[in-house]
Amino acid sequence: MKDFINAYSWINIHYLLQGLWITVVVSLASIAGSYVIGSVLGIIRYVNIKVISPLVGLVIDIIRNLPLLLIIFFTYFGLPNLGFRPSSVWATILAMVVFESTMIAEIVRSGIIAVDPGQMEGARANGLTYVQALRKIILPQAMKKMIPALVSQFISLIKDTSLATIIVLPDLMHNAQIVYGQNSTYILPMFLMLAIMYFIVCYALSLVSRSLEKRMG
């Protein structure tokens, strides 16, 4: 019990909260970036543009089958050789956006495909252009179907930020390692606090998704 009390001193908790803030900032930036880019890529794959759509599909398949850790390594250690030297925070965000965009693209494409084809036919029959039908009729319906899969992917993204400790991202996991690295008796208390903090963030995201589903339903 004494180890827990000492491990949860204000200094240590404050240090963990600083790491949690970095985790949240990186996660939100990655979610926003990957959602926008992934949606565009998913729509491009769905509309089947000559040459472009197959090329986008090939790139998506390649990136989806690479380890995220490899992409993180490339953005942090590889890009400096190309003249771009990002910080650990920006390297993580870039790696996350690149990797997660491909995942989101497949979710978006699958969500659009799941909408009854008759919806597009009916919209076109009523005088809407293809783009108007896609934007006003198909995508709103597809979004309802995509929410559970998107939230699940975003929760995975939040947890995957812990991989960036390998490039010394000062996130929650990194700061916890610093704390218990100074005193091995703090390992269990730190793991317990990590579980609680990650749970709070991920559960909050799931509550937001439920609220969105109710509003859209």
Side-chain angles (χ1 to χ4, degrees):
M1 182 60 70
K2 185 178 179 181
D3 290 336
F4 277 81
I5 294 174
N6 293 334
Y8 295 150
S9 66
W10 169 242
I11 293 177
N12 289 343
I13 294 298
H14 183 258
Y15 191 54
L16 289 180
L17 290 174
Q18 289 178 329
L20 179 62
W21 172 248
I22 295 297
T23 295
V24 170
V25 169
V26 169
S27 297
L28 290 178
S30 301
I31 287 173
S34 61
Y35 177 72
V36 172
I37 296 174
S39 296
V40 172
L41 295 178
I43 292 172
I44 290 174
R45 288 208 68 187
Y46 171 76
V47 298
N48 197 22
I49 305 170
K50 277 187 177 181
V51 181
I52 297 178
S53 292
L55 181 60
V56 168
L58 176 62
V59 172
I60 288 174
D61 288 339
I62 291 173
I63 295 177
R64 286 180 66 211
N65 288 285
L66 293 177
L68 175 57
L69 191 58
L70 177 62
I71 299 175
I72 292 174
F73 273 136
F74 176 77
T75 57
Y76 191 68
F77 296 110
L79 289 182
N81 293 324
L82 301 176
F84 179 52
R85 192 176 300 276
S87 65
S88 59
V89 171
W90 283 109
T92 303
I93 292 173
L94 180 58
M96 288 290 181
V97 169
V98 169
F99 184 76
E100 295 297 332
S101 292
T102 62
M103 301 297 183
I104 301 303
E106 288 303 292
I107 293 174
V108 170
R109 185 175 72 93
S110 300
I112 297 174
I113 291 175
V115 177
D116 185 354
Q119 296 291 320
M120 175 62 78
E121 295 172 2
R124 295 301 301 278
N126 282 288
L128 295 181
T129 65
Y130 185 85
V131 174
Q132 288 174 330
L134 189 64
R135 180 169 59 88
K136 296 181 178 181
I137 306 298
I138 305 302
L139 287 178
Q141 296 182 63
M143 181 56 66
K144 296 178 184 179
K145 302 176 184 294
M146 288 188 280
I147 287 178
L150 286 174
V151 172
S152 177
Q153 192 61 45
F154 291 150
I155 288 175
S156 294
L157 183 155
I158 293 171
K159 293 182 288 187
D160 286 344
T161 57
S162 61
L163 293 173
T165 55
I166 199 71
I167 61 171
V168 201
L169 176 72
D171 68 336
L172 179 58
M173 180 65 74
H174 170 270
N175 287 8
Q177 290 176 341
I178 296 297
V179 172
Y180 69 68
Q182 297 174 351
N183 189 330
S184 60
T185 62
Y186 292 171
I187 292 179
L188 183 58
M190 286 300 104
F191 282 170
L192 178 59
M193 185 56 66
L194 281 174
I196 293 172
M197 289 185 171
Y198 275 117
F199 172 79
I200 290 173
V201 174
C202 294
Y203 187 66
L205 181 58
S206 67
L207 291 178
V208 171
S209 74
R210 290 177 192 175
S211 176
L212 285 174
E213 284 186 272
K214 289 180 179 179
R215 290 183 181 181
M216 297 181 70

